[in-house]
Amino acid sequence: MKQLESIEQYNAYKEKETVFLFTAGWCPDCRVIEPGLPDIEAKFTQFDFVSIDRDQFIDLAIEEGVMGIPSFLVYKNGKRVGDYIGKERKTIEQIDAFLSQF
């Protein structure tokens, strides 16, 4: 999974088919799903997957309405087409089901 390094990079990825994962190093629920994320990336090859450190990009998280992590945003051609936002623990199966609708 790619790591976001700048807002300019974020804006460029939004123009493609991209899944953004908002996460943080201190987030235990984020660590729980980490082992399954490579399988998700392998299954949904139409997307670029980009990890965003919520603490490093807190203004972006607020702008995007991300109040809990882990959270997923899906963009296609500059438009946000879906999100899976919330503070609850997510399973790989739930993430798979969410991404399957795109």
Side-chain angles (χ1 to χ4, degrees):
M1 186 171 296
K2 300 170 182 84
Q3 287 290 132
L4 187 71
E5 297 174 9
S6 70
I7 294 297
E8 295 77 22
Q9 189 183 40
Y10 181 76
N11 291 330
Y13 275 119
K14 282 182 8 180
E15 297 302 318
K16 303 175 182 182
E17 293 190 26
T18 305
V19 175
F20 294 104
L21 165 59
F22 282 81
T23 186
W26 53 263
C27 169
D29 292 342
C30 301
R31 300 294 76 80
V32 167
I33 62 170
E34 268 182 1
L37 292 176
D39 293 336
I40 292 288
E41 285 186 85
K43 180 174 180 180
F44 297 97
T45 58
Q46 72 271 31
F47 292 110
D48 285 318
F49 283 81
V50 180
S51 178
I52 301 174
D53 184 313
R54 192 219 50 156
D55 294 339
Q56 184 180 355
F57 292 96
I58 189 69
D59 291 339
L60 178 61
I62 291 167
E63 179 182 313
E64 290 287 9
V66 174
M67 298 302 170
I69 54 175
S71 287
F72 295 83
L73 306 181
V74 179
Y75 272 86
K76 288 187 177 184
N77 304 317
K79 294 188 180 180
R80 185 164 157 179
V81 296
D83 54 58
Y84 190 11
I85 296 176
K87 62 182 180 181
E88 78 279 354
R89 179 172 282 183
K90 296 161 183 69
T91 66
I92 290 299
E93 293 77 22
Q94 289 169 317
I95 296 163
D96 184 298
F98 165 69
L99 293 176
S100 291
Q101 52 188 321
F102 301 103

